[in-house]
Amino acid sequence: MEANSPNSEVHMAESPQIPIGVPTAARVYDVMLGGKDNYAVDRAVAEASLAIMPELREIALHNRAILHRVVHHLAADEGITQFLDLGSGLPTVRNTHEVAQEANPSAHVVYVDIDPIVLAHGRAILADNANTTVVTADIRQPAELLERPEVRALIDFDRPVCIILAGILHHLADDENPGQIVRTLRDAVPSGSYFFITNFTRLGDAPESVALEKQLLEQLGTGRVRTPAELAAFFDGLEILPPGLVPLPLWRPEEPVLDASTVDVRFMTGGVGRKP
Ligand SMILES: C[S@@+](CC[C@H](N)C(=O)[O-])C[C@H]1O[C@@H](n2cnc3c(N)ncnc32)[C@H](O)[C@@H]1O
């Protein structure tokens, strides 16, 4: 295989929308998850990140596992039938629609990502699923995103919806005002809607959390590691479900977490908020 060819079984030609010469967050995350939809530039960034924080592969799996627990809980126990998954990433093992539709086959799921590679791969796996779609859009323009016909076709904003912001807000810089983006989304959904957010966390006793931010900002252009207080501010105006904003594996674990002191457990924080 050529050095810069896709590691994918389905060859995807380079197009202006899918640059292979610059790394993207979706494809670097795909590397961490052991996926095949990435290029040499993405693998180089991932390797540099892993050199700083070797636990990152496990952390990515924790992020997927909490997504599954949250979506299952909301679909199975809270009667949520609509999910808007923002910064959804490349399709991987057990996607949001699979978990939601297992609990409720009529659940609607809209995936949104800025990276067109997500649309290209998502379309293929969703071809025969009328209740699920993929949209290429930028959450930094939340009002436009909410008006997209493909979004409106599946999400009824008069009924409760779950907005998923898993591992995406750390790809927004402070001056892109992620807090205001969350507020715009919060104001667009009715009472009884949920927000699920996960984010990189600055750890006072783990200097690698700061080193990783520096490396990601330099090599990927995004990757903001935020303090617990900054993360809590994303939930302003929402009622946070128990157990609160916690290290990902500690959110309603299916099996006991034997050691919660490790970096792999603590580097990402997540929680679920309900709009009152
Ligand atoms: C780390 S991945 C997370 C994927 C998935 N949400 C998860 O938690 O497993 C972050 C995703 O956010 C997307 N993203 C980054 N900035 C974005 C933006 N401004 N608008 C929409 N998507 C964005 C990236 O393309 C990438 O696919």
Side-chain angles (χ1 to χ4, degrees):
M1 191 180 286
E2 287 167 38
N4 215 18
S5 71
N7 195 8
S8 171
E9 284 157 21
V10 182
H11 177 74
M12 214 174 53
E14 182 173 21
S15 78
Q17 292 80 37
I18 306 176
I20 63 170
V22 286
T24 73
R27 298 189 320 231
V28 172
Y29 187 60
D30 183 65
V31 178
M32 294 297 173
L33 288 171
K36 295 178 173 177
D37 301 313
N38 50 72
Y39 296 87
V41 283
D42 309 304
R43 296 191 284 277
V45 173
E47 275 158 28
S49 297
L50 284 163
I52 294 169
M53 192 181 285
E55 299 89 344
L56 277 171
R57 289 186 195 281
E58 210 162 351
I59 291 166
L61 292 175
H62 292 325
N63 193 48
R64 296 301 301 174
I66 183 177
L67 170 77
H68 298 156
R69 296 197 299 280
V70 169
V71 170
H72 174 80
H73 169 65
L74 295 180
D77 308 327
E78 303 294 345
I80 292 295
T81 59
Q82 322 187 84
F83 294 82
L84 185 55
D85 190 345
L86 303 177
S88 53
L90 277 153
T92 177
V93 180
R94 275 180 75 67
N95 300 290
T96 299
H97 74 283
E98 293 165 281
V99 179
Q101 290 169 1
E102 222 168 70
N104 176 355
S106 63
H108 287 192
V109 177
V110 175
Y111 294 108
V112 174
D113 204 284
I114 197 170
D115 193 330
I117 194 176
V118 173
L119 177 71
H121 285 249
R123 263 194 187 139
I125 65 159
L126 296 174
D128 56 359
N129 190 320
N131 290 339
T132 308
T133 195
V134 191
V135 178
T136 301
D138 186 341
I139 72 155
R140 289 170 296 184
Q141 274 94 46
E144 281 173 29
L145 153 65
L146 292 168
E147 287 308 322
R148 288 281 291 267
E150 309 97 301
V151 174
R152 295 261 158 191
L154 284 182
I155 306 284
D156 173 0
F157 287 98
D158 291 329
R159 292 194 303 113
V161 53
C162 171
I163 308 275
I164 298 173
L165 291 158
I168 179 176
L169 296 178
H170 51 231
H171 291 298
L172 303 186
D174 292 347
D175 63 6
E176 293 172 324
N177 213 341
Q180 181 54 45
I181 292 169
V182 179
R183 284 192 288 280
T184 302
L185 295 166
R186 191 192 64 200
D187 292 346
V189 297
S191 162
S193 293
Y194 290 87
F195 283 77
F196 165 50
I197 301 175
T198 67
N199 205 92
F200 293 159
T201 316
R202 185 170 296 262
L203 301 174
D205 59 346
E208 61 265 43
S209 65
V210 179
L212 185 73
E213 176 179 73
K214 185 167 180 291
Q215 179 256 334
L216 286 174
L217 290 174
E218 277 169 16
Q219 294 189 5
L220 188 60
T222 69
R224 183 70 177 73
V225 177
R226 296 196 163 92
T227 64
E230 287 174 309
L231 300 185
F234 292 144
F235 289 84
D236 275 354
L238 301 172
E239 298 164 352
I240 300 180
L241 269 55
L245 266 184
V246 292
L248 304 189
L250 301 186
W251 197 92
R252 306 190 187 192
E254 279 160 11
E255 314 216 324
V257 177
L258 299 178
D259 182 359
S261 68
T262 57
V263 168
D264 82 87
V265 170
R266 294 185 298 133
F267 180 59
M268 283 187 75
T269 302
V272 180
R274 182 180 183 279
K275 180 169 171 174

